[in-house]
Amino acid sequence: MRPFSYLRAATAEEALDAFAARPGAQFLGGGTNLVDLMKLGVTAPEFLIDVSRLPLDSVETTPEGGLHIGATVRNSDLAAHPVVRTRYTALSQALLSGASGQLRNTATTGGNLLQRTRCPYFQDTSKPCNKREPGTGCPARDGVHRDLAVLGHSAHCVATHPSDMAVALAALDATVQVRGAGGERTVPVTDLHRLPGDRPDVDTVLRPGELITGVTLPPRADGGHSGYRKARDRASYAFALASVAATVRVEGGLVRDASLAFGGLAHRPWRARAAEEVLRGAPATVETYARAADAELAAAEPLRDNAFKVTLTRNLTVNVLSDLASRAEEGARPPT
Amino acid sequence: MPERGAPEIPVSLVSLRVNGTWLSLRLDNRTTLLDALREHLDLVGAKKGCDHGQCGACTVLVGGRRANSCLLLAVACDGSDVTTVEGLAEGERLHPVQEAFVAHDALQCGYCTPGQICSAVGMLAEAAEGHPSYATAPDRLAADSSPGQGAPEPFDALEIRERMSGNLCRCGAYPNIVDAIAEAARS
Ligand SMILES: Cc1cc2nc3c(=O)[nH]c(=O)nc-3n(C[C@H](O)[C@H](O)[C@H](O)COP(=O)(O)OP(=O)(O)OC[C@H]3O[C@@H](n4cnc5c(N)ncnc54)[C@H](O)[C@@H]3O)c2cc1C
Ligand code: SF4
Ligand code: FES
Ligand code: FES
């Protein structure tokens, strides 16, 4: 590992100033991804600005009735937060499905959003990789790609974004607050991550040195009827092969409203708007859910070894929506 | 407290409270908490299994919460309270989780055991605070039980296995590990 200087920033201003003074710097959250990548030699910052102790560690309801989550809130604390559990259940489930208890205690909201792909070639510096070293090629396209993308990939990169949390945030219409040299701005979480195109080295729309300060969830009547389901190679402690986050509101046997996002399929959490179109106003039946999934997955371009993800996602979608809709209809839990 | 040491190799003075005692170490910034414990403090209970957050053998408690010490930079832990497996017993009296591991023969080679035990101690504290898990039923998850106020989650084998999934055991001693933790949870 390359030697690096270290600064623990006390305020966001201090972190931004430190970056401005030394643009080769990287922000350090919990370090569960960054330290790993530094050990592997995938990245070699000469200066780490530790932002994990910034006073951005609270979860607060907003005046509109939504929720603001500070960037340094740990994944475990967020998953256990009573408002997240009751009103944004999919977020709680997504977080709990990710990594392990130890890792969730350390991982931060900001770091989770910006974690890098788990593509095996990206992590192996003896291999070419357009994301790690632009222009060297993408061995995954014709190589080991069973875990990689079926939607939105390019000739240059077929990587997926590994975060579970981000998929739930995408279904829940979250926005991300960022701060940089140019001031503050807000980015919808569905626009935060890019598709790879011909620049797979650029994961997100953030500019160098922009700091994530928090995430905001809008108020949701249907958030208590949201859920997350993840398929993986072992029962726990594994990344998603495919996952689905959904919210659904059913009235008189019809889907009044629904939102849907897929994980493990693309370079970013995949908000399934074509599927939502099909769902809205349609009978709340298994046939509708399957038709909705098909509408979205029609755009899939599976690689040699990952076509199973399309069927898997279809089944997960039907499963999650049926489950949520039946619980919503039973009125087992009054929406909060 | 960062400072500049030998040319090109930045070092920092790191203060840690390890198993109840405050210590100051001058460490290369690249030193992980795991290496600080094993190489600099001779506390070799925490093991380096994978060094990438994938096995849990390096689990210790930082500020009372379980964490993978292989992915924590020691300098980022400056000022923290760290408990390793060596610090769990009180004198000759073993921690209840340690006792349960002995009683249930919850190990074979023992390599993963310090991590399993520290993880179980942290996990039981999380459960006592009402933290849910992915095994928690959706209705129960969405029921309004606030951390710190809600009763502990029901503790069946499924919950224990899910909550302990960050600790691998190459010997496959899982059934006895689950039994040991179930007993510790009851006591
Ligand atoms: C074995 C293992 C299994 C895992 N399994 C899963 C899984 O199943 N599902 C899942 O979703 N994740 C999984 N993870 C990944 C884990 O969730 C991430 O490592 C974690 O969320 C990253 O958060 P962090 O705070 O540690 O980020 P860091 O490692 O500190 O940082 C990650 C990136 O974000 C940047 N960054 C951090 N904070 C900010 C900020 N505030 N503003 C701007 N940039 C910032 C850093 O510069 C870095 O580039 C797993 C990890 C491991 C090691
Ligand atoms: S899929 Fe992307 S990350 Fe993986 S090898 Fe190809 S370019 Fe690199
Ligand atoms: S050594 Fe830390 S998780 Fe394996
Ligand atoms: S007892 Fe041997 S690895 Fe667990």
Side-chain angles (χ1 to χ4, degrees), chain A residues 184-262:
Chain A
E184 294 183 36
R185 60 187 183 120
T186 291
V187 183
V189 76
T190 46
D191 294 344
L192 178 68
H193 300 92
R194 298 174 63 256
L195 290 181
D198 59 2
R199 288 300 305 274
D201 54 314
V202 187
D203 285 356
T204 71
V205 300
L206 296 188
R207 301 173 195 124
E210 273 189 320
L211 179 74
I212 294 182
T213 56
V215 170
T216 303
L217 290 161
R220 287 199 89 94
D222 59 355
H225 297 303
S226 68
Y228 185 76
R229 193 155 301 172
K230 173 175 177 181
R232 43 188 157 174
D233 282 330
R234 59 182 184 197
S236 183
Y237 199 23
F239 287 93
L241 292 167
S243 69
V244 171
T247 74
V248 69
R249 205 150 56 80
V250 179
E251 272 169 30
L254 298 180
V255 178
R256 279 287 151 236
D257 205 0
S259 65
L260 201 62
F262 299 154

Side-chain angles (χ1 to χ4, degrees), chain B residues 143-163:
Chain B
D144 199 356
S145 78
S146 313
Q149 294 162 16
E153 303 292 326
F155 244 72
D156 53 14
L158 196 70
E159 279 281 359
I160 294 174
R161 283 176 180 272
E162 168 58 31
R163 288 170 192 258

